[in-house]
Every structure is written in C-alpha cells, then in structure tokens.
Amino acid sequence: MIQAYYLPPGGGPSAALTGKNQILETFRRKEGLLWVDMESPTSEETNFLADGFEFHPVAVEACREVTSQPLVHGFDDYLFMVIHAVNIQTHGATVDTLEVDIFWGKTFVLTYHQVPVKSLTEMRDLCEKDGERLLSRGAAFFMHAVVDKIIDNFTPTLNRLECMLEELEIQIFRDPTDKLLHQLLDLKQTVLYLGRVASAQRDVVGRLVRGEFGPVTKQAMAYWLEAYDHLLRMVYTIENQRDIITTARETYMSVVTNRTNAVIKVLTIIATVFMPITFIASLYGMNFKFMPEINWKWGYPAVMALMVVITAWMVWFFRRRKWI
C-alpha cells in the first residue's frame, strides 16, 4: 500500500496523491513537500524505489532486509535512515521492534515499512485531518514529528516492563520459584535488546544534532535536540532497569540460598539431637552375652529416661545459643 500527501509551495491545502505516476511526477518537480508512506509493499513496489525514485541500490537493498540496525547514511541530495519502532502487539516480557526505513530530502520524505507501524498510522491520520499544518514547516520539522512519534511510543512498553519488574521483585520474597527466575532472564534479554536499539537510535539522532548532515535546519535544530534528550532519557531508563534486574537476580539467589540454609540448619539440628540417642541404641543393641544392664530390672526405663534427658538438654542448649 502506497499513500502520499503533498503540500504545494507557498502553502495551501494538502492533497492526497493516488497512483505511482502522479507521485513520481510530484517527486521530480522537487518543490513543496511530499510524504510517501509505503506500508507492506510488494516486490514490485519495492523495486519502484530504485526504478522510479532512483534511490541508491545500497539503500534499497537495506529496505529489503528486515534486520538492519538503526543507522543514517548521506547520499547526494538525501539521507537514508533506519529507525526502529516498538511493536505494540507484543505482551509480557517479550518485546519486538519494527524497522522503518526513511528517505529524507529537502522536498520529500519517504517512509518504508514491511508491517503496519502505529506511529506512522497516527501520522497518516494527522495528515488526513490537518496535513497543511503538519507539512507546512518543511521536511526537517516533519521528520522530527515522525521520529518523535516513534520514540514516544516506546514509553508505554518501558512502563509495562517496569511494572512487571516491580511485581517480580515482590514475588522474589514471597515465592522464589524457578519460573520466576526464567521470567527475570527473559526480562533481562528484552531490556538488553531495547538498550542496543535505543543506543543506536541515540547515535543516529546525535549525528543529525551535531550537524553532520545538511537537511536539519537551524530552526528545526531545537526540536531535534528535544528528541535527542528524549532518547538519552530512554537509554538511562533502560540502563536503570537492567541494573534493577541484575540486583533482583542477585536477591533471588540470596533468598533461595537463605531458605536452603534454613532447611539444612533444621536437618542438622535433628541429626545432632538423634546422634547420642542413636549411639545409646546402638550400644545396647550389640549381641554380647555378658552385658550387666541386660538383666537389670530397671534397665529399659533407665535407658529411655537417659535418652529423654539428653534430648531435652540438647534442645535447651541450642535455644540458649539461639541456634533454634
């Protein structure tokens, strides 16, 4: 699906373009501002990037790959960017990202994504309602709006992960099961992945802010600095969550170790209490013929009393030493 919105030079109402020929004709005029959004494109539509728009083959090949890391490359009169948007369809500790490829020139912006992206759907809705306001300030401002929308949609996912982490921290002290440990490990893998994506996108926007490429105007720079600060905060949040997960895992191991030690302590006390009793029972269980106590009338009650006295004394001793 290809959707395009065009704002003519000098302002005026924006128009939605239909058909490849009309889009390509408007693109070649290089005036006003044209936004082309290619969602779930076919192979033929993907080839149109090179055959129609004449973008560099390296950039077009990167569009075909769905594993590209966030990056930015400068070509003759446009930039090629790869930005990742969060997949809001994911639940639990698993989080996926969706690649968005962007071609950005002075008079056009083309976004390419192989699956629907919530941020771009919202941008299309805004263009339908008030495209003139959104496109009138130029490509740099419009690109900031796109990238900022993508960054903002990471916030609900990070908040969800933070809530999950808080619940896991409470469960660590209530019931530290193996399932809980697996959830912590899954959460750690997710946070590490998001950290890599966020750091790469911070570097991409950082290169734009440092003025390595021309399309960012001085008027738009303040807005891009705001997006860069947003990415910095997101990276710090993810790093903080990663540290909390590491601490939670260490706490889990400590709680499990303490519970194991408590069990071993109880078993050790029981074994220690029964040790002298077992010795007495073993002593009088020997089958020797001449044992003075064997034929004694009070032998059995005396041995039982001795066992009770020894057990009571050991329990008293352990309590006095605060071992139990």
Side-chain angles (χ1 to χ4, degrees), residues 70-110:
L71 55 86
V72 56
H73 289 313
F75 294 94
D76 292 338
D77 57 350
Y78 64 90
L79 293 182
F80 174 69
M81 296 176 58
V82 177
I83 297 293
H84 282 223
V86 68
N87 185 359
I88 62 172
Q89 301 298 328
T90 55
H91 301 282
T94 302
V95 176
D96 190 19
T97 58
L98 308 174
E99 179 181 330
V100 179
D101 304 300
I102 304 173
F103 298 87
W104 171 17
K106 291 183 179 180
T107 59
F108 71 91
V109 173
L110 188 148

Side-chain angles (χ1 to χ4, degrees), residues 252-312:
Y252 171 88
M253 299 305 297
S254 298
V255 171
V256 171
T257 301
N258 289 337
R259 292 195 174 189
T260 303
N261 291 339
V263 173
I264 294 176
K265 178 181 178 180
V266 173
L267 295 177
T268 302
I269 291 175
I270 294 174
T272 304
V273 169
F274 276 90
M275 189 180 299
I277 299 175
T278 304
F279 171 75
I280 295 173
S282 301
L283 178 65
Y284 286 101
M286 294 185 294
N287 295 322
F288 291 113
K289 184 176 181 180
F290 299 101
M291 294 185 69
E293 296 87 351
I294 293 297
N295 297 319
W296 183 33
K297 178 180 179 181
W298 301 102
Y300 176 77
V303 170
M304 294 301 296
L306 178 62
M307 290 182 177
V308 171
V309 170
I310 292 175
T311 302

Side-chain angles (χ1 to χ4, degrees), residues 232-244:
L232 285 178
R233 292 194 300 271
M234 188 168 74
V235 170
Y236 293 152
T237 299
I238 294 173
E239 290 178 349
N240 184 52
Q241 290 182 351
R242 183 186 60 192
D243 294 338
I244 293 175

Side-chain angles (χ1 to χ4, degrees), residues 2 4 6 11 44 64 100 103 106 118 123 126 142 148 201 219 228 249 251 253 255 287 296 303 306 313:
I2 301 179
Y6 176 65
E44 180 183 355
R64 292 192 176 97
V100 179
F103 298 87
K106 291 183 179 180
K118 179 176 182 291
M123 293 299 295
L126 290 175
F142 179 74
D148 194 55
Q201 298 196 154
Q219 294 81 2
Y228 182 72
R249 185 183 176 188
T251 304
M253 299 305 297
V255 171
N287 295 322
W296 183 33
V303 170
L306 178 62
W313 179 83

Side-chain angles (χ1 to χ4, degrees), residues 108-288:
F108 71 91
V109 173
L110 188 148
T111 52
Y112 177 101
H113 45 105
Q114 299 190 9
V115 292
V117 177
K118 179 176 182 291
S119 304
L120 296 179
T121 301
E122 293 174 350
M123 293 299 295
R124 290 200 304 267
D125 293 339
L126 290 175
C127 280
E128 293 285 351
K129 295 177 181 178
D130 192 7
E132 181 180 359
R133 182 186 63 83
L134 192 62
L135 300 173
S136 61
R137 305 184 70 181
F141 284 94
F142 179 74
M143 269 302 305
H144 165 264
V146 172
V147 173
D148 194 55
K149 181 72 70 173
I150 290 174
I151 296 172
D152 286 342
N153 281 335
F154 273 87
T155 301
T157 297
L158 293 178
N159 291 339
R160 187 185 82 233
L161 295 178
E162 186 172 353
C163 292
M164 289 182 58
L165 185 55
E166 291 176 356
E167 293 177 1
L168 291 177
E169 285 182 307
I170 296 174
Q171 293 179 15
I172 286 175
F173 295 97
R174 292 180 178 176
D175 187 19
T177 61
D178 292 341
K179 181 181 178 181
L180 179 61
L181 179 60
H182 292 159
Q183 290 176 335
L184 280 174
L185 294 177
D186 291 341
L187 198 58
K188 181 179 180 180
Q189 293 299 322
T190 297
V191 169
L192 289 176
Y193 173 71
L194 289 178
R196 289 193 296 268
V197 172
S199 297
Q201 298 196 154
R202 175 199 58 192
D203 296 338
V204 168
V205 176
R207 294 184 66 185
L208 296 174
V209 169
R210 289 193 294 270
E212 295 185 24
F213 305 99
V216 180
T217 61
K218 291 183 179 180
Q219 294 81 2
M221 185 60 70
Y223 294 90
W224 280 97
L225 285 171
E226 185 270 339
Y228 182 72
D229 290 339
H230 194 168
L231 279 169
L232 285 178
R233 292 194 300 271
M234 188 168 74
V235 170
Y236 293 152
T237 299
I238 294 173
E239 290 178 349
N240 184 52
Q241 290 182 351
R242 183 186 60 192
D243 294 338
I244 293 175
I245 292 173
T246 301
T247 303
R249 185 183 176 188
E250 294 174 352
T251 304
Y252 171 88
M253 299 305 297
S254 298
V255 171
V256 171
T257 301
N258 289 337
R259 292 195 174 189
T260 303
N261 291 339
V263 173
I264 294 176
K265 178 181 178 180
V266 173
L267 295 177
T268 302
I269 291 175
I270 294 174
T272 304
V273 169
F274 276 90
M275 189 180 299
I277 299 175
T278 304
F279 171 75
I280 295 173
S282 301
L283 178 65
Y284 286 101
M286 294 185 294
N287 295 322
F288 291 113

